[in-house]
Amino acid sequence: MKVLLTEDELSLARTYQRHLERGGHRVEVFTSAEVAYDRLAAAPDEFDILVLDVLLPGMSGIELTRKLRHEGYDIPILMLTALGQNADVVAGLDAGADDYLTKPFPVDVLLARLRALGRRPRAFDPVANATQIRAGDLVIDELQHVVYRGGEQITLTPREFTLLLYLARNANRVLTRDQLMLHVWPDGTEAASNVLDTYIHHLRDKLEVSGSAPMIQTIRGVGYSLRLPDGERAAGVPPPLTNGWS
Ligand code: CA
């Protein structure tokens, strides 16, 4: 992948760069969000992912994320946040980032997150008319409103189905509580603070297979993520677009 890395601490940036290049990626380093934006705007097709520090001189990583999403760029964004800054994490994800890492992090985790985001479909194209989503051994049939795991049919309520479909379409992406609440309860009904956790709990009860890794992960203080086993991506949706924001 070609990585646009924005990190103002140069020694840190060089360390990430070295490890990413060793992992087979190509990397361009920028130390300010403004310059990174100019580079991306000049050649939007060139980069596969933006790795973005939150605390930058001038425009913050969160502001850049908001600007890019507002202007229609759908390049995957992995945010780098400081330890204990959960508010930054939530703000960044709400602004449109896909995932985050808390500094300091092991480099192999960075590489794994890049692989996972690279597998995530970049845009959902209704023209492709996909009616089934596959995520690991999970199959979600949108038309029939039916879910299977390992070939076994699972009965879900309409809300549970909506919640699962949203998580699966955004597999490997962290979704904040607000994003999930807005999507599943757009009219605000039932939207008590603990209702989301209750639905997640029910979904897990119905979906999880003993002995296999849990699909729906809790990101404490942030939200939830449906994680696919390494090497898999959600299918039944169009492949990532080379120019997703056209
Ligand atoms: Ca910084």
Side-chain angles (χ1 to χ4, degrees):
M1 282 197 271
K2 177 127 189 214
V3 181
L4 199 162
L5 171 64
T6 309
E7 163 66 67
D8 59 319
E9 249 175 273
L10 209 51
S11 63
L12 214 49
R14 292 298 175 214
T15 304
Y16 299 153
Q17 180 180 21
R18 204 167 52 243
H19 285 289
L20 288 169
E21 286 176 350
R22 232 176 257 160
H25 302 287
R26 287 172 300 144
V27 184
E28 273 188 41
V29 178
F30 296 91
T31 53
S32 95
E34 285 87 348
V35 180
Y37 173 80
D38 289 344
R39 179 71 178 93
L40 191 61
D45 292 349
E46 232 180 275
F47 296 96
D48 300 302
I49 190 160
L50 173 58
V51 177
L52 183 59
D53 190 27
V54 168
L55 283 179
L56 295 164
M59 188 193 287
S60 75
I62 292 169
E63 287 164 339
L64 176 58
T65 300
R66 197 171 293 130
K67 180 176 168 68
L68 289 171
R69 293 304 187 233
H70 181 73
E71 293 176 6
Y73 293 85
D74 76 341
I75 185 168
I77 299 176
L78 176 66
M79 280 196 324
L80 308 180
T81 66
L83 190 65
Q85 302 297 311
N86 254 358
D88 282 350
V89 171
V90 173
L93 294 169
D94 279 343
D98 297 278
D99 202 353
Y100 72 95
L101 278 174
T102 302
K103 292 195 227 176
F105 47 80
V107 170
D108 56 341
V109 175
L110 172 63
L111 292 169
R113 292 293 171 88
L114 288 188
R115 285 196 299 275
L117 282 176
R119 288 193 302 271
R120 193 176 70 77
R122 285 264 295 267
F124 201 79
D125 182 4
V127 178
N129 209 17
T131 59
Q132 282 199 346
I133 291 180
R134 286 168 190 277
D137 62 353
L138 189 71
V139 179
I140 304 168
D141 190 317
E142 275 193 84
L143 271 192
Q144 311 284 332
H145 261 246
V146 184
V147 174
Y148 301 90
R149 178 143 198 210
E152 298 274 323
Q153 187 175 331
I154 296 164
T155 306
L156 299 180
T157 68
R159 290 268 198 221
E160 288 167 354
F161 187 86
T162 304
L163 177 57
L164 178 64
L165 187 61
Y166 190 51
L167 284 163
R169 276 181 174 173
N170 291 286
N172 292 326
R173 182 180 179 193
V174 178
L175 297 169
T176 66
R177 300 180 63 85
D178 277 358
Q179 289 172 322
L180 289 161
M181 296 294 291
L182 277 171
H183 186 83
V184 182
W185 291 273
D187 50 4
T189 53
E190 286 190 73
S193 62
N194 60 352
V195 71
L196 175 62
D197 307 287
T198 306
Y199 272 82
I200 293 279
H201 183 77
H202 289 160
L203 263 186
R204 281 183 176 142
D205 269 1
K206 292 182 177 182
L207 290 179
E208 300 300 358
V209 177
S210 65
S212 62
M215 298 191 87
I216 303 174
Q217 292 186 359
T218 303
I219 319 294
R220 200 168 292 279
V222 177
Y224 294 95
S225 181
L226 191 147
R227 299 270 175 199
L228 301 182
D230 202 24
E232 290 191 27
R233 50 162 287 182
V237 291
L241 302 173
T242 50
N243 181 1
W245 44 81
S246 61

